[in-house]
Amino acid sequence: SADHGKTWKRGFRFTPEENFGCPAFLNCGQDYSLARDEYVYIYSQDGPSAYRSYDRVALARVHSDSIARREAYRFFRRQGPDGGPAWTREIRERAGVLEYPGRCRRLDVVYDPGIGRYLMALAFNDQGGWGIFDAPQPWGPWTTAFYTDNWGLGQTHGYRIPAAWIAADGKSFHLVFSGRTYNDVVYDAFCVRAARIETVDSPAVE
């Protein structure tokens, strides 16, 4: 869309052979106003299907002026000794920014300006296993903020943290997800749950 969503036209799509099967854009606030640079970042589980779990999460980036041009995309290849990323135009040369064998399915990533961290909501499966991971940069390094093998709500999936639903101080938000078992009935419904973030100050380095 070139008119803020009033009209749309079909663009390119990643092929199944490229194993970038369910892309999700990093959310950096309205009009990408909280972006760290001029690039747009896109994540996907490293596989062709949105309905299977894979071993890692892949990352691409593209200049904000070139989102509709497939040839403009670059893929995360490695993180250097200085913590900075190296990129490649060849999708087959990409590496994972997060590796969790057999537990990388659909995901969502959002920047939380109140705490200065990137939050990734990652489904492990469709049986209620999922987690939240946090990082200082879009490519990581990622650490575990929340983890559950089964949070007791049945076959849930599609976890999202809308940027507009993060508190101003960054320490609470509302999680959106789909599906819930209630009274032995499996629903595929729009569900919302409140969440709170507890931060820990790092010890001073002398």
Side-chain angles (χ1 to χ4, degrees), residues 30-199:
Q30 188 173 15
D31 294 330
Y32 235 58
S33 59
L34 301 176
R36 66 181 305 280
D37 52 33
E38 67 272 23
Y39 291 95
V40 172
Y41 292 83
I42 308 98
Y43 301 81
S44 176
Q45 66 267 31
D46 196 0
S49 174
Y51 301 97
R52 291 181 55 194
S53 299
Y54 297 95
D55 294 339
R56 62 185 186 176
V57 173
L59 172 64
R61 78 174 187 179
V62 64
H63 196 278
S64 58
D65 291 337
S66 304
I67 296 174
R69 296 173 50 232
R70 170 63 181 83
E71 65 274 13
Y73 282 67
R74 300 294 181 267
F75 302 89
F76 178 83
R77 188 174 187 179
R78 66 178 181 273
Q79 190 163 320
D82 62 351
W87 304 91
T88 176
R89 67 173 59 243
E90 299 295 336
I91 191 170
R92 67 179 180 273
E93 296 177 353
R94 72 188 181 277
V97 291
L98 185 148
E99 299 198 13
Y100 196 2
R103 294 200 171 196
C104 296
R105 194 172 280 210
R106 300 183 190 183
L107 68 145
D108 178 56
V109 186
V110 62
Y111 179 63
D112 183 341
I115 60 174
R117 304 287 288 187
Y118 295 85
L119 305 178
M120 176 190 296
L122 176 66
F124 306 148
N125 48 52
D126 61 0
Q127 303 299 313
W130 69 286
I132 296 177
F133 302 84
D134 72 296
Q137 301 291 352
W139 49 85
W142 297 92
T143 52
T144 305
F146 169 80
Y147 176 96
T148 179
D149 276 326
N150 186 340
W151 65 332
L153 295 181
Q155 297 178 325
T156 56
H157 59 93
Y159 311 98
R160 299 287 184 267
I161 303 174
W165 290 2
I166 298 176
D169 65 0
K171 294 186 177 182
S172 63
F173 61 88
H174 283 79
L175 176 80
V176 175
F177 60 96
S178 182
R180 185 185 180 190
T181 301
Y182 185 72
N183 285 343
D184 297 322
V185 177
V186 179
Y187 296 92
D188 195 5
F190 181 90
C191 304
V192 181
R193 174 162 283 197
R196 184 177 66 253
I197 297 174
E198 295 182 2
T199 59

